[in-house]
Amino acid sequence: MKPSSFDYVRPNTLQEALELLADGTEDSKVISGGQSLVPMMNFRLARPARLVDIGRLSELEVIRTVDDRVHVGARVRHVQLQNTPLGGPLGSLLRRSAALVGHLPIRTRGTFGGSLAHSDAASEWCLLTRLLDAEITVRSIRGERVIPAAEFFVSVFTTAMEPDELLTSVALPVLPDDHRTGIAEFARRAGDFAIVAVLGDVTVSDGTVTAARIAIGGVDDKPFRSAAAEKALLGGTFGLDLLQSAAEAAADEVDPPSDAHGDAVYRRDLVRALLPRALAAGAAA
Amino acid sequence: MTPRTATTAPADLSAPTSPPAEPPTWTGQPVRRVEDPAILRGWGTFVGDVAARDATCLYAAFVRSPVAAGRIRSITAPPGVRLITATDLAGVRPIAPELKRPDYVRVEMPVLATDVVRFVGEPVALVLAESAALAEDALDSVAVDIEPTPAVLDAAAAVRPDSPLVHDAAFPGDPNTTVDARLTTPGFDAALQSAATVVELEVSCGRQSAMPMEARASHAAVDRGTGRVTLHTATQMPHVVRTGICDCLDLDEDLFRVVAPDVGGAFGAKMSLAREDVALVFLARRLRRNIAWIETREENFLAAWHSREQRYQLTAAFTEDGVLTALGADIVADVGAYSCYPVTFGVEPLMAFAELPGPYTIAEYSVRSRAVLSNKCPIAPYRGVSRPVQTLATERIMDVAARRLGLDPVTIRQRNLVATFPHTTPTGLVLDQASHQEALVEAARQVDLPGFRERQAAARAEGRWLGIGFSCFAERTGYGTPAFAARSMAITPGYERVNMSMDPSGGVVLRIGASPHGQGLRTSLAQLVADKLGLRPEEIRVVHGDTDATPYGWGSFGSRAMVIAGGASSRAADTLRQRLIDIAADQLECAPEDVDLREGQATVRGTGIGRPIKQLARLAHHNSHLLPAGELPSLEVSATYDPGGTFSNACHVAEVEVDELTGAVQITRFLVVEDAGLLVNPAIVDGQVHGGVVQGIANALYEELLYDDRGILVTTSLMDYLPPTLAETPDIEIIHLASVSDATLTGAKGVGEGGTIGAPAAVLNAVSDALSPLGIELTHLPATPSRVRTAIRTAQARLSSEGALR
Ligand SMILES: Cc1cc2nc3c(=O)[nH]c(=O)nc-3n(C[C@H](O)[C@H](O)[C@H](O)COP(=O)(O)OP(=O)(O)OC[C@H]3O[C@@H](n4cnc5c(N)ncnc54)[C@H](O)[C@@H]3O)c2cc1C
């Protein structure tokens, strides 16, 4: 439970950080909140030769709303999002999701960008990003690029970022009030990673679903968007019956893994149970 | 009997007290634990602290087998790595625990695996380095080449004639069987035949870890001048560790000291001799270097003893009225690859053999109970030892029978619980006294069973699944040498011894052979002794856990320390009290019968004339020529206590709500009505019950060590092995019946294990009650959400296909 030895640097500016990441040092790794990386180092599942600590880059700690986008800086901590005053269906989804990330000590250190870069398929932030088709901004000394969430998550612990790139911020869409959002997840204990998590964003106009997005965690090696559930919802009359048939469609569509926490059959059952709970009346509060 | 709830406001030791008319006794008060201030502030001294303060010590890290069974081809490390293998330990004897009974097969455990490895995690070598981190680096560089051989992973397969053998030793014709105890009472078959109904049931339990917060840890320091080694180790039984290591190293005990400093929980997992410790002491002596080993959580899961893996095939005969007339059980305990020292791998199967009938009047009993080897981590005691599964067996039988006979769970238990004492069980145990019926009746009254049934019916109508489960048990506690001798242990534990002395300033030091590790025994013993000597608890300092400073004793396990070390302390205090009274009587020129010790004074009853006890202490030490003729110049006494043992009892009730769609179980109420005799410190007793129940809930719903089909442990971190947290823990209501026992010197019975014993069955009964409309009877611990959901899915599919047929 002791990491193998490593070098440690703590740049003062973004530019300095990007230069360090590009200086050719092998196995250099960014450390942000350390809430995933440090346990992995202690288990020696990660053995970086050098850590680049981005803790001083305070410009990455801001949440800014510009037009119809909310830009969340990579260093924004989970707890900041849990307490965000942001209104509307987006604000409520952020607060509800953040509350399900680990335990309070983890939420006060762990960061939004760190979660995305870590790319755990059951992570609330990875799912939310995928759900809302967010755009992820990464930078290197070579320049800046914007990666759509659909392309960002490659598989477990793997993203589309290059080793010299730093995730700087994520653009989330402001959601108008005709959206209903919600999250429901199942974990064995409070604070554990979900076995299955379902996030939903549906637009309801005169009782009819006019747009639907469903993201499911724990059923694939990356955040999963359920085309089947979205199709089942679209054009339907919003209500428990519709949610249940969407849940059936999603359960048929997913091909979940089996492990000590539950086999594929059980995970499908959880999809059936959780999808309606994520979006049922009251869930959007 | 009027139930009494514990008062909760702790008495503050630092607050001055004005003497009330009738001075209060400390015994029975929820005195704040003297242990806590240091521990809570981080000022305790654990083995890790001892190592951290030693700048010169080397750190050991153990190379562990990655395969379940195999032959070692080679173990190599690059130059510069200090690698120690079995060949370096030549001459060290294996650990070979023994029972002197014909149905026990002796199995040896080498300190480091020699040619053969028998489970994943077995130590095959170790490396030494200047720090823990460097030792882990060195560990990474070691190459272990093992030729895998077929592994034995399932007890049912292990006993088949064609099974591979974990050890060559075993009963002829019974592969891998190392304990095989059998008994059938003469009228068993007849009782079975004349039964109105026979319940057949298989119950089982997965592997569980005791999971103390502090994993194992040891620090061996060598005195360069004398070569004498001091081992600081996280143990429950320092004296036995010393004996065990000396036996392996052929060492005189005087050349070796064992110290248990603050120990961060143990729960049984620190009462078996660690092979790692033997290696550490051997190497410290050989190399004349201090060596530390701080176990990681992963190692703790892999190699620091498992428990509870048992399977019971049960046959229970009932009369129409629900009287259990005969109980049959075929019990198989999967004990892993080796036997634990000193209690051996007989500990679970033999406990089950002797105590399965529990609190019930079962006239006829037929049992076969086996220890079966496997290529898995060895089992050792864990809080409750076997009884959580035994209680699951009897309590599931009661509920299944009740449903079948149309009785409610309280009535069927009332008809079977022992009510007249003494009661001799089919295996010859004597239940001397207990309040089984009273505890059950009080529990039923508290939960209002008819009211619950109404709420349950209303909830079912809304599609919600509520359930209630009862669990009654007898907890054998505080047993000394006679009880252990009945198990024919080569090393027979039992008695406890104490030394007590008063210093010239009137302070008392109580040195005990028992070895508390979180239970607050220092506080409770001080309360007992303070009452006898007319002092305050903070004037009694309890010294424990150091073989140089305490009399030989067995340690703290088996719900025994309060009873046995408490009894010995109480005896010693009686003698010291008499000596003080004799001195006072002489000084005060009165009869000893007229002297009372209270609030620091020896007074002549009814006069107000007296002497401070401090003055008597000074006199005894510094003016001993003034002592009465024949009185020794000493305020030092010793005492031993070795009782036959008695039984505590309790009734647990769980109320649950089951989520039909996810299989999750929420415990909505948990009640314990328990009787452990006199409550020396009710707050500490409540703490024992709370902690035990949480571990029982863990066993019921959360914790399970899982091996894959190659014998690799998959639950090696706290992401996969899931102790419940406060968020998963219900409020635990406790009612103490506290019928003071005359079976022990102090009136107190043991209370350490009951929580873990009763809770699993209460929870599984409640879940089965909730799901009874679906015909579901859960029988395996833990009932994880996926298992509960699977049971619901299967039952619903069956019901709907039956419906379709109709
Ligand atoms: C007990 C426990 C429970 C948890 N439960 C949950 C849970 O329920 N849900 C959940 O989502 N998470 C959970 N987590 C993980 C937690 O949310 C982490 O905080 C998060 O996954 C990583 O964020 P971090 O800032 O701590 O990143 P770090 O641990 O510092 O880094 C994680 C990875 O991201 C990389 N990285 C970090 N920041 C950047 C960046 N700006 N640019 C490029 N790469 C970067 C690092 O190099 C590393 O590979 C849990 C953690 C623990 C210990």
Side-chain angles (χ1 to χ4, degrees), chain A residues 21 28-39 51 54 60 74-76 78 97 100-103 106-107 109-120 122-126 138 161-162 165-168 185 191-194, chain B residues 719:
Chain A
L21 289 175
S28 198
K29 224 168 182 11
V30 172
I31 183 164
S32 187
Q35 297 304 295
S36 293
L37 185 53
V38 172
L51 292 183
I54 58 170
L60 303 185
R75 289 260 322 136
V76 167
H78 308 321
S97 303
L100 296 171
V101 179
H103 310 270
I106 290 158
R107 295 197 290 271
R109 283 189 170 270
T111 64
F112 190 76
S115 289
L116 302 191
H118 186 61
S119 185
D120 186 303
S123 145
E124 288 79 5
W125 295 144
C126 295
V138 302
M161 278 193 293
E162 298 296 333
E165 283 177 326
L166 188 72
L167 196 162
T168 53
E185 65 174 48
D192 282 348
F193 269 105
Chain B
M719 286 191 53

Side-chain angles (χ1 to χ4, degrees), chain B residues 197-201 316-324 394-409 412 416 777:
Chain B
T197 185
V198 174
V199 172
E200 308 228 0
L201 201 65
F318 283 87
T319 66
E320 244 164 77
D321 301 335
V323 175
L324 175 54
T394 48
E395 295 309 292
R396 291 279 36 239
I397 285 175
M398 285 297 159
D399 273 19
V400 171
R403 249 189 286 288
R404 198 179 288 179
L405 296 167
L407 296 171
D408 73 65
I412 192 164
N416 288 288
E777 300 288 359

Side-chain angles (χ1 to χ4, degrees), chain A residues 127-128 130-133 180-182 197-202 209 211-217 219 223-234 238 242-243 246-247 249-251 253-254 271 274-276 278-279:
Chain A
L127 286 164
L128 180 138
R130 184 74 184 87
L131 176 82
L132 300 180
D133 299 308
R180 281 171 165 269
T181 56
V198 179
L199 283 80
D201 168 31
V202 292
V209 176
R213 298 191 276 206
I214 298 290
I216 308 178
V219 295
F224 182 82
R225 273 283 290 273
S226 174
E230 292 172 7
K231 186 164 163 245
L233 288 167
L234 202 61
F238 187 77
L242 183 67
L243 291 171
E253 183 189 22
V254 295
V271 170
L274 295 172
L275 194 152
L279 284 168

Side-chain angles (χ1 to χ4, degrees), chain B residues 232-251:
Chain B
H232 279 83
T233 184
T235 181
Q236 299 172 241
M237 31 171 38
H239 291 278
V240 182
V241 167
R242 184 172 65 159
T243 297
I245 292 179
C246 286
D247 284 353
C248 287
L249 300 184
D250 204 8
L251 200 64

Side-chain angles (χ1 to χ4, degrees), chain B residues 559-572:
Chain B
S559 305
R560 66 196 303 277
M562 190 63 239
V563 177
I564 309 186
S569 301
S570 168
R571 272 191 176 151

Side-chain angles (χ1 to χ4, degrees), chain B residues 365-387:
Chain B
Y365 181 46
S366 175
V367 59
R368 178 180 189 191
S369 189
R370 282 173 280 179
V372 174
L373 296 169
S374 67
N375 289 110
K376 293 187 253 184
C377 178
I379 64 111
Y382 168 34
R383 195 175 197 175
V385 185
S386 182
R387 284 158 300 180

